[in-house]
Tab-separated table of all heavy atoms in Angstrom:
chain	number	residue	atom	x	y	z
A	1	MET	N	0.832	-1.184	-0.006
A	1	MET	CA	-0.003	-0.026	-0.025
A	1	MET	C	0.870	1.263	-0.009
A	1	MET	O	1.903	1.310	0.746
A	1	MET	CB	-0.887	-0.013	1.221
A	1	MET	CG	-1.830	1.208	1.358
A	1	MET	SD	-2.996	0.918	2.648
A	1	MET	CE	-4.434	1.565	1.828
A	2	PRO	N	0.526	2.227	-0.840
A	2	PRO	CA	1.377	3.415	-0.862
A	2	PRO	C	1.270	4.292	0.361
A	2	PRO	O	0.252	4.269	1.059
A	2	PRO	CB	0.812	4.222	-2.110
A	2	PRO	CG	-0.595	3.712	-2.255
A	2	PRO	CD	-0.611	2.306	-1.729
A	3	ASN	N	2.341	5.040	0.679
A	3	ASN	CA	2.348	5.909	1.828
A	3	ASN	C	1.816	7.264	1.345
A	3	ASN	O	2.539	8.025	0.681
A	3	ASN	CB	3.780	6.057	2.354
A	3	ASN	CG	3.860	6.867	3.593
A	3	ASN	OD1	2.880	7.168	4.182
A	3	ASN	ND2	5.098	7.182	4.001
A	4	ILE	N	0.583	7.585	1.693
A	4	ILE	CA	-0.018	8.834	1.183
A	4	ILE	C	0.200	9.946	2.217
A	4	ILE	O	-0.091	9.775	3.389
A	4	ILE	CB	-1.525	8.621	0.951
A	4	ILE	CG1	-1.738	7.537	-0.133
A	4	ILE	CG2	-2.242	9.908	0.561
A	4	ILE	CD1	-3.156	7.107	-0.301
A	5	THR	N	0.661	11.067	1.728
A	5	THR	CA	0.866	12.225	2.585
A	5	THR	C	-0.375	13.083	2.485
A	5	THR	O	-0.835	13.391	1.396
A	5	THR	CB	2.119	13.017	2.088
A	5	THR	OG1	3.226	12.132	2.132
A	5	THR	CG2	2.361	14.228	2.924
A	6	TYR	N	-0.853	13.532	3.622
A	6	TYR	CA	-2.086	14.293	3.677
A	6	TYR	C	-1.998	15.293	4.901
A	6	TYR	O	-1.134	15.138	5.713
A	6	TYR	CB	-3.345	13.419	3.778
A	6	TYR	CG	-3.320	12.551	5.048
A	6	TYR	CD1	-3.860	13.016	6.261
A	6	TYR	CD2	-2.781	11.300	5.068
A	6	TYR	CE1	-3.859	12.233	7.395
A	6	TYR	CE2	-2.793	10.510	6.151
A	6	TYR	CZ	-3.252	10.968	7.306
A	6	TYR	OH	-3.314	10.200	8.455
A	7	CYS	N	-2.966	16.141	4.977
A	7	CYS	CA	-3.104	17.035	6.147
A	7	CYS	C	-4.531	16.856	6.626
A	7	CYS	O	-5.451	16.541	5.871
A	7	CYS	CB	-2.687	18.439	5.871
A	7	CYS	SG	-3.703	19.363	4.725
A	8	VAL	N	-4.725	17.118	7.890
A	8	VAL	CA	-6.077	17.072	8.498
A	8	VAL	C	-6.721	18.457	8.444
A	8	VAL	O	-5.988	19.445	8.445
A	8	VAL	CB	-6.068	16.487	9.871
A	8	VAL	CG1	-5.685	15.007	9.920
A	8	VAL	CG2	-5.158	17.239	10.802
A	9	LYS	N	-7.994	18.426	8.529
A	9	LYS	CA	-8.765	19.724	8.356
A	9	LYS	C	-8.358	20.774	9.337
A	9	LYS	O	-8.345	21.990	8.927
A	9	LYS	CB	-10.268	19.391	8.501
A	9	LYS	CG	-11.178	20.484	8.144
A	9	LYS	CD	-12.623	19.997	8.173
A	9	LYS	CE	-13.535	21.140	7.859
A	9	LYS	NZ	-14.937	20.675	7.973
A	10	ASN	N	-8.021	20.506	10.554
A	10	ASN	CA	-7.677	21.525	11.524
A	10	ASN	C	-6.168	21.721	11.688
A	10	ASN	O	-5.767	22.407	12.668
A	10	ASN	CB	-8.327	21.199	12.870
A	10	ASN	CG	-7.813	19.883	13.460
A	10	ASN	OD1	-7.193	19.135	12.743
A	10	ASN	ND2	-8.166	19.571	14.673
A	11	GLU	N	-5.352	21.247	10.747
A	11	GLU	CA	-3.897	21.414	10.859
A	11	GLU	C	-3.535	22.827	10.456
A	11	GLU	O	-4.181	23.464	9.588
A	11	GLU	CB	-3.285	20.455	9.892
A	11	GLU	CG	-1.764	20.327	9.978
A	11	GLU	CD	-1.235	19.171	9.165
A	11	GLU	OE1	-1.915	18.143	9.027
A	11	GLU	OE2	-0.117	19.285	8.673
A	12	SER	N	-2.476	23.383	11.094
A	12	SER	CA	-2.047	24.735	10.751
A	12	SER	C	-1.388	24.776	9.354
A	12	SER	O	-0.878	23.774	8.860
A	12	SER	CB	-1.086	25.256	11.810
A	12	SER	OG	0.202	24.642	11.615
A	13	LEU	N	-1.436	25.983	8.769
A	13	LEU	CA	-0.761	26.199	7.492
A	13	LEU	C	0.707	25.998	7.580
A	13	LEU	O	1.352	25.532	6.664
A	13	LEU	CB	-1.059	27.576	6.931
A	13	LEU	CG	-2.488	27.858	6.406
A	13	LEU	CD1	-2.613	29.268	5.936
A	13	LEU	CD2	-2.752	26.864	5.251
A	14	ILE	N	1.308	26.343	8.736
A	14	ILE	CA	2.729	26.169	8.945
A	14	ILE	C	3.095	24.657	8.887
A	14	ILE	O	4.044	24.292	8.180
A	14	ILE	CB	3.204	26.741	10.269
A	14	ILE	CG1	2.912	28.312	10.322
A	14	ILE	CG2	4.637	26.458	10.561
A	14	ILE	CD1	3.800	29.120	9.403
A	15	GLN	N	2.353	23.863	9.546
A	15	GLN	CA	2.585	22.402	9.550
A	15	GLN	C	2.427	21.853	8.117
A	15	GLN	O	3.254	21.022	7.698
A	15	GLN	CB	1.644	21.668	10.500
A	15	GLN	CG	1.888	21.969	11.970
A	15	GLN	CD	0.776	21.417	12.834
A	15	GLN	OE1	-0.393	21.498	12.520
A	15	GLN	NE2	1.208	20.776	13.917
A	16	ALA	N	1.373	22.263	7.443
A	16	ALA	CA	1.171	21.750	6.102
A	16	ALA	C	2.267	22.245	5.139
A	16	ALA	O	2.688	21.480	4.319
A	16	ALA	CB	-0.168	22.262	5.609
A	17	ALA	N	2.719	23.494	5.282
A	17	ALA	CA	3.810	23.979	4.459
A	17	ALA	C	5.053	23.208	4.689
A	17	ALA	O	5.769	22.852	3.712
A	17	ALA	CB	4.047	25.512	4.736
A	18	HIS	N	5.364	22.870	5.912
A	18	HIS	CA	6.573	22.070	6.166
A	18	HIS	C	6.451	20.698	5.534
A	18	HIS	O	7.402	20.157	4.964
A	18	HIS	CB	6.718	21.851	7.708
A	18	HIS	CG	7.405	23.015	8.383
A	18	HIS	ND1	8.740	23.317	8.260
A	18	HIS	CD2	6.900	23.950	9.224
A	18	HIS	CE1	9.014	24.423	8.902
A	18	HIS	NE2	7.949	24.800	9.564
A	19	ARG	N	5.242	20.119	5.597
A	19	ARG	CA	5.082	18.816	5.000
A	19	ARG	C	5.228	18.858	3.479
A	19	ARG	O	5.877	18.010	2.858
A	19	ARG	CB	3.701	18.281	5.328
A	19	ARG	CG	3.478	16.819	4.871
A	19	ARG	CD	2.245	16.210	5.409
A	19	ARG	NE	2.451	15.965	6.843
A	19	ARG	CZ	1.649	16.489	7.786
A	19	ARG	NH1	0.608	17.254	7.443
A	19	ARG	NH2	1.880	16.267	9.024
A	20	LEU	N	4.710	19.891	2.825
A	20	LEU	CA	4.931	20.099	1.368
A	20	LEU	C	6.387	20.169	0.998
A	20	LEU	O	6.811	19.562	0.046
A	20	LEU	CB	4.195	21.339	0.853
A	20	LEU	CG	2.646	21.341	0.762
A	20	LEU	CD1	2.114	22.696	0.496
A	20	LEU	CD2	2.221	20.323	-0.274
A	21	ILE	N	7.125	20.968	1.755
A	21	ILE	CA	8.553	21.160	1.453
A	21	ILE	C	9.335	19.877	1.731
A	21	ILE	O	10.101	19.422	0.967
A	21	ILE	CB	9.092	22.316	2.294
A	21	ILE	CG1	8.490	23.644	1.776
A	21	ILE	CG2	10.632	22.393	2.283
A	21	ILE	CD1	8.719	24.877	2.618
A	22	ASN	N	9.098	19.245	2.929
A	22	ASN	CA	9.773	18.066	3.288
A	22	ASN	C	9.554	16.896	2.318
A	22	ASN	O	10.475	16.144	1.999
A	22	ASN	CB	9.487	17.659	4.701
A	22	ASN	CG	10.032	18.615	5.752
A	22	ASN	OD1	10.943	19.323	5.464
A	22	ASN	ND2	9.402	18.603	6.896
A	23	GLN	N	8.368	16.842	1.833
A	23	GLN	CA	8.018	15.681	0.908
A	23	GLN	C	8.268	16.060	-0.583
A	23	GLN	O	8.114	15.306	-1.461
A	23	GLN	CB	6.542	15.290	1.095
A	23	GLN	CG	6.225	14.754	2.458
A	23	GLN	CD	6.910	13.449	2.709
A	23	GLN	OE1	7.035	12.594	1.868
A	23	GLN	NE2	7.378	13.296	3.955
A	24	GLN	N	8.627	17.333	-0.836
A	24	GLN	CA	8.848	17.865	-2.188
A	24	GLN	C	7.677	17.635	-3.055
A	24	GLN	O	7.744	17.105	-4.167
A	24	GLN	CB	10.072	17.279	-2.716
A	24	GLN	CG	11.325	17.626	-1.964
A	24	GLN	CD	12.648	17.071	-2.532
A	24	GLN	OE1	12.608	16.316	-3.515
A	24	GLN	NE2	13.738	17.456	-1.937
A	25	ILE	N	6.455	18.012	-2.582
A	25	ILE	CA	5.230	17.911	-3.383
A	25	ILE	C	4.563	19.220	-3.466
A	25	ILE	O	4.875	20.177	-2.768
A	25	ILE	CB	4.290	16.837	-2.706
A	25	ILE	CG1	4.006	17.180	-1.235
A	25	ILE	CG2	4.909	15.429	-2.805
A	25	ILE	CD1	3.029	16.232	-0.565
A	26	ASP	N	3.598	19.287	-4.384
A	26	ASP	CA	2.969	20.614	-4.665
A	26	ASP	C	1.566	20.759	-4.048
A	26	ASP	O	1.014	21.845	-4.009
A	26	ASP	CB	2.823	20.817	-6.162
A	26	ASP	CG	4.181	20.928	-6.870
A	26	ASP	OD1	5.052	21.550	-6.244
A	26	ASP	OD2	4.297	20.512	-7.996
A	27	ALA	N	0.976	19.643	-3.560
A	27	ALA	CA	-0.393	19.695	-3.029
A	27	ALA	C	-0.554	18.525	-2.025
A	27	ALA	O	0.065	17.535	-2.091
A	27	ALA	CB	-1.406	19.667	-4.092
A	28	LEU	N	-1.509	18.785	-1.099
A	28	LEU	CA	-1.881	17.776	-0.123
A	28	LEU	C	-3.385	17.630	-0.082
A	28	LEU	O	-4.104	18.590	-0.128
A	28	LEU	CB	-1.480	18.214	1.252
A	28	LEU	CG	0.002	18.216	1.664
A	28	LEU	CD1	0.178	19.008	2.963
A	28	LEU	CD2	0.544	16.799	1.806
A	29	PRO	N	-3.866	16.383	-0.075
A	29	PRO	CA	-5.301	16.216	0.170
A	29	PRO	C	-5.532	16.586	1.609
A	29	PRO	O	-4.744	16.351	2.505
A	29	PRO	CB	-5.581	14.709	-0.050
A	29	PRO	CG	-4.239	14.034	0.031
A	29	PRO	CD	-3.158	15.071	-0.238
A	30	VAL	N	-6.746	17.275	1.820
A	30	VAL	CA	-7.127	17.586	3.212
A	30	VAL	C	-8.210	16.589	3.626
A	30	VAL	O	-9.179	16.385	2.854
A	30	VAL	CB	-7.678	19.031	3.247
A	30	VAL	CG1	-8.162	19.357	4.666
A	30	VAL	CG2	-6.732	20.032	2.766
A	31	VAL	N	-7.976	15.918	4.760
A	31	VAL	CA	-8.930	14.883	5.139
A	31	VAL	C	-9.554	15.201	6.454
A	31	VAL	O	-9.049	15.972	7.281
A	31	VAL	CB	-8.228	13.460	5.215
A	31	VAL	CG1	-7.688	13.089	3.867
A	31	VAL	CG2	-7.150	13.479	6.267
A	32	GLU	N	-10.691	14.595	6.718
A	32	GLU	CA	-11.455	14.677	7.976
A	32	GLU	C	-11.621	13.240	8.511
A	32	GLU	O	-12.100	12.400	7.695
A	32	GLU	CB	-12.756	15.342	7.671
A	32	GLU	CG	-13.572	15.644	8.884
A	32	GLU	CD	-14.793	16.463	8.491
A	32	GLU	OE1	-15.773	15.821	8.016
A	32	GLU	OE2	-14.844	17.694	8.752
A	33	GLU	N	-11.252	13.032	9.723
A	33	GLU	CA	-11.417	11.698	10.271
A	33	GLU	C	-12.874	11.434	10.601
A	33	GLU	O	-13.516	12.243	11.259
A	33	GLU	CB	-10.558	11.490	11.505
A	33	GLU	CG	-10.405	10.101	11.899
A	33	GLU	CD	-9.305	9.814	12.916
A	33	GLU	OE1	-8.568	10.817	13.303
A	33	GLU	OE2	-9.171	8.693	13.378
A	34	GLN	N	-13.360	10.243	10.205
A	34	GLN	CA	-14.768	9.878	10.466
A	34	GLN	C	-14.739	8.413	10.978
A	34	GLN	O	-13.725	7.781	10.874
A	34	GLN	CB	-15.561	9.936	9.172
A	34	GLN	CG	-15.668	11.328	8.660
A	34	GLN	CD	-16.603	11.518	7.476
A	34	GLN	OE1	-16.940	10.512	6.768
A	34	GLN	NE2	-17.046	12.728	7.154
A	35	PRO	N	-15.828	7.967	11.590
A	35	PRO	CA	-15.817	6.631	12.195
A	35	PRO	C	-15.431	5.556	11.188
A	35	PRO	O	-14.771	4.574	11.579
A	35	PRO	CB	-17.262	6.470	12.664
A	35	PRO	CG	-17.778	7.832	12.865
A	35	PRO	CD	-17.043	8.713	11.869
A	36	GLU	N	-15.831	5.711	9.928
A	36	GLU	CA	-15.506	4.696	8.928
A	36	GLU	C	-14.152	4.872	8.253
A	36	GLU	O	-13.819	4.118	7.324
A	36	GLU	CB	-16.617	4.561	7.903
A	36	GLU	CG	-16.888	5.839	7.096
A	36	GLU	CD	-17.760	6.844	7.811
A	36	GLU	OE1	-18.333	6.531	8.848
A	36	GLU	OE2	-17.883	7.928	7.225
A	37	GLY	N	-13.444	5.856	8.652
A	37	GLY	CA	-12.094	6.136	8.048
A	37	GLY	C	-11.906	7.641	7.700
A	37	GLY	O	-12.509	8.467	8.407
A	38	PHE	N	-11.129	7.926	6.761
A	38	PHE	CA	-10.877	9.311	6.384
A	38	PHE	C	-11.714	9.704	5.176
A	38	PHE	O	-11.936	8.912	4.276
A	38	PHE	CB	-9.383	9.484	6.030
A	38	PHE	CG	-8.457	9.398	7.196
A	38	PHE	CD1	-7.717	8.289	7.454
A	38	PHE	CD2	-8.319	10.498	8.057
A	38	PHE	CE1	-6.819	8.228	8.503
A	38	PHE	CE2	-7.500	10.398	9.177
A	38	PHE	CZ	-6.725	9.297	9.369
A	39	LYS	N	-12.184	10.945	5.177
A	39	LYS	CA	-12.891	11.432	4.054
A	39	LYS	C	-12.158	12.668	3.500
A	39	LYS	O	-11.777	13.559	4.256
A	39	LYS	CB	-14.276	11.919	4.476
A	39	LYS	CG	-15.076	12.586	3.360
A	39	LYS	CD	-16.450	13.075	3.897
A	39	LYS	CE	-17.181	13.740	2.731
A	39	LYS	NZ	-18.471	14.279	3.219
A	40	VAL	N	-11.872	12.722	2.223
A	40	VAL	CA	-11.201	13.817	1.598
A	40	VAL	C	-12.201	14.991	1.475
A	40	VAL	O	-13.283	14.825	0.927
A	40	VAL	CB	-10.639	13.452	0.159
A	40	VAL	CG1	-10.022	14.690	-0.492
A	40	VAL	CG2	-9.627	12.309	0.283
A	41	VAL	N	-11.812	16.121	2.028
A	41	VAL	CA	-12.660	17.310	2.056
A	41	VAL	C	-12.136	18.457	1.273
A	41	VAL	O	-12.749	19.522	1.201
A	41	VAL	CB	-13.009	17.713	3.530
A	41	VAL	CG1	-13.862	16.670	4.222
A	41	VAL	CG2	-11.781	18.063	4.303
A	42	GLY	N	-10.939	18.292	0.794
A	42	GLY	CA	-10.298	19.399	-0.048
A	42	GLY	C	-8.915	19.122	-0.431
A	42	GLY	O	-8.381	17.983	-0.281
A	43	ARG	N	-8.283	20.138	-0.979
A	43	ARG	CA	-6.856	20.048	-1.433
A	43	ARG	C	-6.195	21.310	-1.074
A	43	ARG	O	-6.689	22.416	-1.320
A	43	ARG	CB	-6.873	19.788	-2.921
A	43	ARG	CG	-5.475	19.541	-3.509
A	43	ARG	CD	-5.546	19.231	-4.975
A	43	ARG	NE	-5.735	20.453	-5.714
A	43	ARG	CZ	-5.160	20.730	-6.856
A	43	ARG	NH1	-4.320	19.908	-7.382
A	43	ARG	NH2	-5.426	21.867	-7.444
A	44	LEU	N	-4.996	21.209	-0.524
A	44	LEU	CA	-4.190	22.379	-0.135
A	44	LEU	C	-2.951	22.410	-1.057
A	44	LEU	O	-2.195	21.412	-1.163
A	44	LEU	CB	-3.791	22.280	1.301
A	44	LEU	CG	-2.998	23.476	1.865
A	44	LEU	CD1	-3.792	24.758	1.822
A	44	LEU	CD2	-2.523	23.185	3.291
A	45	THR	N	-2.758	23.496	-1.742
A	45	THR	CA	-1.654	23.653	-2.685
A	45	THR	C	-0.627	24.644	-2.212
A	45	THR	O	-0.954	25.525	-1.320
A	45	THR	CB	-2.136	24.046	-4.102
A	45	THR	OG1	-2.655	25.416	-3.993
A	45	THR	CG2	-3.170	23.100	-4.599
A	46	LYS	N	0.516	24.697	-2.786
A	46	LYS	CA	1.515	25.744	-2.466
A	46	LYS	C	0.995	27.126	-2.782
A	46	LYS	O	1.238	28.056	-2.073
A	46	LYS	CB	2.744	25.472	-3.292
A	46	LYS	CG	3.617	24.322	-2.799
A	46	LYS	CD	4.901	24.198	-3.605
A	46	LYS	CE	5.781	23.085	-3.116
A	46	LYS	NZ	6.988	22.930	-3.952
A	47	THR	N	0.159	27.202	-3.791
A	47	THR	CA	-0.486	28.490	-4.158
A	47	THR	C	-1.412	28.924	-3.071
A	47	THR	O	-1.396	30.137	-2.724
A	47	THR	CB	-1.196	28.400	-5.530
A	47	THR	OG1	-0.255	27.991	-6.552
A	47	THR	CG2	-1.811	29.689	-5.954
A	48	ASN	N	-2.213	28.058	-2.532
A	48	ASN	CA	-3.153	28.385	-1.412
A	48	ASN	C	-2.360	28.922	-0.248
A	48	ASN	O	-2.747	29.926	0.354
A	48	ASN	CB	-3.935	27.172	-0.941
A	48	ASN	CG	-4.838	26.547	-1.993
A	48	ASN	OD1	-4.873	25.321	-2.117
A	48	ASN	ND2	-5.529	27.327	-2.709
A	49	ILE	N	-1.302	28.275	0.103
A	49	ILE	CA	-0.479	28.661	1.242
A	49	ILE	C	0.205	30.051	1.005
A	49	ILE	O	0.172	30.952	1.873
A	49	ILE	CB	0.564	27.660	1.584
A	49	ILE	CG1	-0.166	26.388	2.156
A	49	ILE	CG2	1.603	28.132	2.628
A	49	ILE	CD1	0.706	25.223	2.457
A	50	THR	N	0.713	30.244	-0.210
A	50	THR	CA	1.326	31.511	-0.570
A	50	THR	C	0.324	32.604	-0.455
A	50	THR	O	0.616	33.723	0.056
A	50	THR	CB	1.960	31.436	-1.981
A	50	THR	OG1	2.907	30.384	-2.021
A	50	THR	CG2	2.594	32.739	-2.397
A	51	ARG	N	-0.876	32.445	-0.980
A	51	ARG	CA	-1.937	33.482	-0.933
A	51	ARG	C	-2.292	33.803	0.527
A	51	ARG	O	-2.467	34.944	0.864
A	51	ARG	CB	-3.203	32.967	-1.645
A	51	ARG	CG	-3.058	33.086	-3.147
A	51	ARG	CD	-4.359	32.717	-3.823
A	51	ARG	NE	-4.182	32.835	-5.290
A	51	ARG	CZ	-4.669	31.962	-6.141
A	51	ARG	NH1	-5.491	30.967	-5.732
A	51	ARG	NH2	-4.514	32.144	-7.448
A	52	ALA	N	-2.368	32.768	1.379
A	52	ALA	CA	-2.729	32.977	2.761
A	52	ALA	C	-1.612	33.803	3.450
A	52	ALA	O	-1.940	34.788	4.188
A	52	ALA	CB	-2.867	31.668	3.494
A	53	PHE	N	-0.354	33.482	3.219
A	53	PHE	CA	0.774	34.250	3.817
A	53	PHE	C	0.794	35.663	3.301
A	53	PHE	O	1.032	36.650	4.018
A	53	PHE	CB	2.067	33.523	3.556
A	53	PHE	CG	2.282	32.297	4.387
A	53	PHE	CD1	2.975	31.242	3.967
A	53	PHE	CD2	1.603	32.117	5.624
A	53	PHE	CE1	3.165	30.105	4.670
A	53	PHE	CE2	1.745	30.964	6.371
A	53	PHE	CZ	2.508	29.961	5.891
A	54	LEU	N	0.527	35.874	1.987
A	54	LEU	CA	0.501	37.215	1.470
A	54	LEU	C	-0.665	38.055	2.055
A	54	LEU	O	-0.516	39.200	2.394
A	54	LEU	CB	0.374	37.164	-0.064
A	54	LEU	CG	1.613	36.792	-0.798
A	54	LEU	CD1	1.328	36.663	-2.302
A	54	LEU	CD2	2.746	37.820	-0.612
A	55	SER	N	-1.806	37.375	2.226
A	55	SER	CA	-2.923	38.060	2.840
A	55	SER	C	-2.617	38.478	4.262
A	55	SER	O	-2.949	39.592	4.722
A	55	SER	CB	-4.111	37.100	2.816
A	55	SER	OG	-5.204	37.717	3.458
A	56	LEU	N	-1.930	37.617	5.021
A	56	LEU	CA	-1.572	37.941	6.404
A	56	LEU	C	-0.544	39.068	6.438
A	56	LEU	O	-0.532	39.865	7.420
A	56	LEU	CB	-1.012	36.718	7.118
A	56	LEU	CG	-1.961	35.613	7.461
A	56	LEU	CD1	-1.237	34.366	7.917
A	56	LEU	CD2	-2.984	36.075	8.519
A	57	SER	N	0.255	39.164	5.456
A	57	SER	CA	1.345	40.180	5.523
A	57	SER	C	0.939	41.500	4.908
A	57	SER	O	1.702	42.458	4.922
A	57	SER	CB	2.565	39.628	4.761
A	57	SER	OG	2.321	39.549	3.323
A	58	GLU	N	-0.265	41.623	4.331
A	58	GLU	CA	-0.659	42.922	3.712
A	58	GLU	C	-0.561	44.092	4.640
A	58	GLU	O	-0.240	45.189	4.208
A	58	GLU	CB	-2.094	42.762	3.162
A	58	GLU	CG	-2.218	41.973	1.883
A	58	GLU	CD	-3.614	41.914	1.379
A	58	GLU	OE1	-4.563	42.209	2.125
A	58	GLU	OE2	-3.793	41.408	0.225
A	59	ASN	N	-0.838	43.928	5.875
A	59	ASN	CA	-0.712	45.030	6.810
A	59	ASN	C	0.601	45.112	7.593
A	59	ASN	O	0.750	45.921	8.479
A	59	ASN	CB	-1.927	44.911	7.850
A	59	ASN	CG	-3.216	45.079	7.169
A	59	ASN	OD1	-3.370	45.820	6.238
A	59	ASN	ND2	-4.236	44.350	7.694
A	60	HIS	N	1.498	44.229	7.205
A	60	HIS	CA	2.808	44.150	7.896
A	60	HIS	C	3.895	44.213	6.801
A	60	HIS	O	3.823	43.450	5.835
A	60	HIS	CB	2.946	42.930	8.714
A	60	HIS	CG	1.944	42.824	9.794
A	60	HIS	ND1	0.687	42.295	9.596
A	60	HIS	CD2	2.014	43.175	11.095
A	60	HIS	CE1	0.013	42.340	10.726
A	60	HIS	NE2	0.790	42.832	11.658
A	61	GLU	N	4.853	45.036	6.978
A	61	GLU	CA	5.987	45.132	6.055
A	61	GLU	C	6.990	44.059	6.445
A	61	GLU	O	7.450	43.996	7.613
A	61	GLU	CB	6.618	46.483	6.029
A	61	GLU	CG	7.490	46.739	4.886
A	61	GLU	CD	7.950	48.158	4.796
A	61	GLU	OE1	7.077	49.015	5.060
A	61	GLU	OE2	9.102	48.413	4.464
A	62	LEU	N	7.349	43.139	5.551
A	62	LEU	CA	8.300	42.090	5.849
A	62	LEU	C	9.665	42.442	5.411
A	62	LEU	O	9.959	43.081	4.491
A	62	LEU	CB	7.838	40.779	5.182
A	62	LEU	CG	6.500	40.229	5.613
A	62	LEU	CD1	6.152	38.970	4.825
A	62	LEU	CD2	6.504	39.932	7.066
């Protein structure tokens, strides 16, 4: 069985960004744990994370 890299719905963007970089991948499925297993509820991409960080920094000069 393949080792699938994913993030959970309530995981921080920082944790997900580290996972993307460490695994050298461009996107992660976002999953929600349910009694019968995991359900895919979305996809998080490097672009999504970049947009979020830019949005956070709009009022702060970096």
Side-chain angles (χ1 to χ4, degrees):
M1 179 172 222
N3 185 10
I4 298 172
T5 301
Y6 61 89
C7 64
V8 293
K9 191 175 177 180
N10 61 348
E11 189 169 329
S12 76
L13 285 178
I14 299 290
Q15 291 171 316
H18 280 290
R19 187 167 292 119
L20 287 171
I21 291 168
N22 292 337
Q23 298 294 321
Q24 298 181 355
I25 55 178
D26 295 323
L28 289 167
V30 179
V31 300
E32 187 175 75
E33 194 167 356
Q34 297 185 342
E36 61 276 354
F38 290 103
K39 176 182 178 184
V40 176
V41 294
R43 184 176 78 139
L44 183 63
T45 66
K46 286 181 178 178
T47 301
N48 298 136
I49 291 174
T50 302
R51 282 185 181 141
F53 289 150
L54 287 174
S55 177
L56 289 172
S57 70
E58 283 180 348
N59 296 326
H60 299 85
E61 196 170 320
L62 299 178

